[in-house]
Amino acid sequence: MNITIDVKENEKLVEVKVSGEIDAYTAPKLRENLFPLAEKEGVQMVVNLSDVSYMDSTGLGVFVGVFKNVRANNGEFKIIGLSDRLKRLFEITGLADIIDINTQIEGGVQ
C-alpha cells in the first residue's frame, strides 16, 4: 500500500496531488502532511485525487478533519479529480453536500 503526496505552496494557495491508495495504513501519512497546511490562516487548499485508486473511511476521516481545520482558519477547501467511484463515496456519506468536490481538473494541480 503506497501513497505519494506532492505539495505546492504559493502564498495562500496550497495544491496537493495525492497518488496511490488511501486506507488505514496510509491515512496517517496523509493527515501528517495536510493538517499543518490546513492550519494556515486563509489558506486555499485544492486536493487532486485523480491518481487515487482506492480510499476507505479512514481517508474520508482525514478529509473531514482537514476541511474543518481549513474552515476554522477562514480558508477554502476543494477536492478535484474524483473518479466516479470516489465521487460516489463522497455522495453516499453526504460529504459531497458539505465539501466542494469536482470531478474535473481545472488548471492548477496536475
Side-chain angles (χ1 to χ4, degrees), residues 34 43-47 63-64 66-67 70-71 75-79 99-100:
L34 296 186
V43 70
Q44 294 178 351
M45 186 179 292
V46 179
V47 180
F63 289 119
V64 169
V66 171
F67 170 75
V70 168
R71 294 297 293 266
E76 296 176 25
F77 182 72
K78 184 175 192 174
I79 296 175
I99 297 174
D100 184 3

Side-chain angles (χ1 to χ4, degrees), residues 51-83:
D51 289 337
V52 171
S53 56
Y54 173 83
M55 181 166 59
D56 66 12
S57 61
T58 53
L60 287 175
V62 170
F63 289 119
V64 169
V66 171
F67 170 75
K68 286 181 177 180
N69 279 354
V70 168
R71 294 297 293 266
N73 291 293
N74 303 308
E76 296 176 25
F77 182 72
K78 184 175 192 174
I79 296 175
I80 62 171
L82 291 172
S83 65

